[in-house]
Amino acid sequence: MTVAAGIGYALLALGPSLSLFVAVISQKPFLILTVLSSTLLWLMSLIVLAGVWRAFLPFKTTPSSSAWLPYSILILSSVVFQEGLRVLFWRIYKKLEDILDAFADRVSKPRLFLTDKMQIALAGGMGHGVAHAVFFCLSLLTPAFGPATFYVEKCSQMPFFLVSSMIALAFVTIHTFSMVIAFNGYAEGNRVDQLIVPVVHLVAGMLTLVNLASGGCIIGIPLLYCMALFTLLHCGKMVWKRLADSQNR
């Protein structure tokens, strides 16, 4: 391929996030800091997970269905770790919110509005998504800037770099808007929102195992985008309801 192809793959994975960053996040320095700190936090978590699982790789695979088991355990443990980290991230944010509200009271300024809180959650989710894309996609794209491309036997229909970019885009969408859902669930004590986020994360992770089957990417990627669309729609519905309720009070 060429430099144009490599840039295209990178923009496919992160283009929507870049647009969202320019339109929403870049307007407020605090949101920029939130994105950067969140990206660093999730990158560190992925590096820790990679270091732990490096001792068990590569997995010995067989033609039987049991070949999926070690990958399933890897994904399950990763999701559990990251969802636990999400709760920690929320608690840190909550303490920071209390500090900001107390400062606003002292200087006779308004407290954080609901939209401010949602934007902070959005910025935190974007950091999670960008970290995922950098770790699982951008780090693999260097060969894409060369004169050739690369296919894998299990998915000979599409270049490996295209598959990687498409999967990264789906997860960026899921992580970005899942954080908004999760923060709302924690703040409101909404068990449904609290459970939807880890369930969607786990299901999306498990759907990537479909790519291990011959031609599985043709099925796995559309299913993954169904999860991304579900996350986006649920987040939009939740935000609309919260804003409507806030205006009626």
Side-chain angles (χ1 to χ4, degrees), residues 149-201:
T149 189
F150 176 67
Y151 291 84
V152 294
E153 182 180 355
K154 296 293 186 180
C155 186
S156 59
Q157 296 87 348
M158 293 184 287
F160 168 77
F161 305 115
L162 177 59
V163 173
S164 177
S165 298
M166 294 176 69
I167 292 176
L169 174 58
F171 273 101
V172 168
T173 304
I174 290 171
H175 289 320
T176 299
F177 295 100
S178 286
M179 194 70 76
V180 181
I181 298 172
F183 273 32
N184 176 75
Y186 299 145
E188 297 295 309
N190 189 324
R191 289 292 182 182
V192 174
D193 286 345
Q194 291 178 19
L195 291 176
I196 279 180
V197 171
V199 169
V200 168
H201 192 179

Side-chain angles (χ1 to χ4, degrees), residues 28 30-31 93 110-122:
K28 298 181 179 180
F30 183 74
L31 296 181
Y93 156 74
R111 292 190 170 195
L112 290 174
F113 296 109
L114 177 61
T115 52
D116 295 325
K117 298 177 182 179
M118 289 184 173
Q119 287 178 349
I120 292 173
L122 183 70

